[in-house]
Amino acid sequence: MIDPQLLRDEPDLIKASQAARGASVDVVDQAVAADSARRAAITAFEALRAEQNAFGKTVAKAPKDEKAALVQQAQALSAKVKEAQATVAAAEDTFNTVVRSIPNVVMPDVPAGGEDDFVTLRTVGTKPEFSFEPKDHADLGESLGIIDIARGVKVSGSRFYFLRGMGARLEIALMSLGLDRAVAHGFEPLITPTLVRPETMAGTGFLGEHAAEVYRLEADDLYLTGTSEVALAGYHADEILQFPDGDDQALRYAGWSTCYRREAGSAGRDNRGILRVHQFNKLEMFAYVHPDQADAEHQRLMSYQESMLQDLGLHYRVIETAAGDLGTSAARKYDLEAWVPTQGTYRELTSTSNCTTFQARRLDIRYRTESGKTAPVATLNGTLATTRWLVAILETHQQEDGSVVIPEVLRPYLGGVEVIEPR
């Protein structure tokens, strides 16, 4: 959730964030009013409780013949205290409901607008050119015998697939490369649960505007995660973190998991191939850091992603996502989009988000300051490898005879195989 103190001190800043997102500005006034009502209720309750405590001492010292009347007064006062306590609880619920509907406050220099209002920061590499008509990844996958979409649909329905033979090995190689690099950068590997409780899913901000994309198991009241970010954020919920000694105040994890997304609202979009599917694998970087180090950590995560894309020989661009396309938790997000030759456009392969203290406040994840008090940490995430990357790899490195050259960095994970030949 947003910082309640920021809500009281700078409501206009939050309103500006809402306007940039194209979201309700009035909800900020509602939150301010709910916060005022909550604090007034708490003040009234504490005053009554203090009065009750003082009156209790009076009753204890009173002569025996006066106690009966005083006890009746004490009982009436006790009823008022209970009523005031109930008022506080109701005011707290109202405040929490309203304030949790407000997404993270975007950083001031994030571009306003929606999906099409991004800003291109840079393009890297050269667009692949072919002396022949390139095949799309679905046709390549079929002719190489490494992607079987027809049987995926037969078994599970649309947007499912099988990776076969070198297709399966290629994905594992990609994920393993990402994991090795994450470990080299100080990330601890985790195989994460893919089913989480509602409070974990809500705490990371995925049950708001993105709730329709999430699979829910009603009988168990559990959710299938669309990214290991959810489990990684919940890993330290309700904890006070101990950062390592030194200047690098961070805990870093790399989560490997299968991910599930309903893709609600995307009917008819990217039905062909494996670009937009219901199930895929992903390696996610996740960092808990001191809030003062969040910006630097964000740049660090993006540099790891760019290194992967460059070493895989992909042409890509980096965009800063506009406020209305950030999602609930991010205050800033960068998308890294690779060129997909047969589509003649860039498609997102990965992103990295700075969620500041938003998720940590919802999940009660803190660190101890120099004064001894606790404060919420900042959380950041970024994908280092996922199934979708195969789309750009296959299309970029295809040859006229239908074969695909394996990027050199992946060959050690494939026993030195350099080319996938058509069947």
Side-chain angles (χ1 to χ4, degrees), residues 50-222:
E51 182 182 349
Q52 183 186 38
N53 291 337
F55 194 77
K57 294 177 182 178
T58 300
V59 174
K61 296 177 182 178
K64 188 175 181 179
D65 59 340
E66 296 179 10
K67 280 195 174 181
L70 291 174
V71 166
Q72 286 186 339
Q73 293 180 47
Q75 290 173 341
L77 186 57
S78 177
K80 288 183 179 180
V81 170
K82 289 182 179 178
E83 183 179 348
Q85 190 172 23
T87 301
V88 168
E92 291 275 14
D93 286 344
T94 298
F95 172 72
N96 285 331
T97 298
V98 176
V99 80
R100 277 179 169 262
S101 70
I102 300 175
N104 200 358
V105 178
V106 303
M107 296 184 179
D109 54 343
V110 168
E115 184 177 358
D116 298 326
D117 297 308
F118 62 85
V119 173
T120 301
L121 302 180
R122 58 185 168 276
T123 59
V124 180
T126 304
K127 290 180 183 178
E129 295 183 358
F130 305 94
S131 59
F132 57 92
E133 186 67 27
K135 295 180 180 180
D136 71 12
H137 74 280
D139 285 340
L140 281 168
E142 183 178 356
S143 63
L144 294 170
I146 62 174
I147 303 176
D148 194 332
I149 296 170
R151 289 187 176 92
V153 172
K154 178 179 70 175
V155 170
S156 302
S158 64
R159 300 187 190 277
F160 286 95
Y161 57 95
F162 284 89
L163 293 181
R164 299 178 55 191
M166 284 300 295
R169 293 185 63 193
L170 188 59
E171 183 187 80
I172 294 170
L174 177 64
M175 297 281 286
S176 298
L177 172 64
L179 183 61
D180 283 351
R181 292 194 171 191
V183 170
H185 292 306
F187 290 79
E188 182 177 355
L190 290 178
I191 302 294
T192 65
T194 57
L195 285 166
V196 299
R197 293 177 171 177
E199 55 266 32
T200 305
M201 188 68 81
T204 48
F206 284 94
L207 288 187
E209 60 184 273
H210 296 289
E213 298 176 15
V214 179
Y215 285 105
R216 182 185 177 213
L217 279 66
E218 294 187 13
D220 303 287
D221 197 20
L222 293 171

Side-chain angles (χ1 to χ4, degrees), residues 36-59:
S36 296
R38 177 180 69 96
R39 288 188 291 154
I42 291 172
T43 299
F45 165 68
E46 290 177 344
L48 279 170
R49 188 166 59 178
E51 182 182 349
Q52 183 186 38
N53 291 337
F55 194 77
K57 294 177 182 178
T58 300
V59 174

Side-chain angles (χ1 to χ4, degrees), residues 50 55 60 115 164 175 185 189 200-201 210 290 295 302 328 335 355 364 367 374-375 408:
F55 194 77
E115 184 177 358
R164 299 178 55 191
M175 297 281 286
H185 292 306
T200 305
M201 188 68 81
H210 296 289
H290 188 289
D295 288 340
M302 183 165 56
T328 299
D335 285 349
C355 297
D364 193 24
Y367 71 101
T374 62
E408 189 171 345

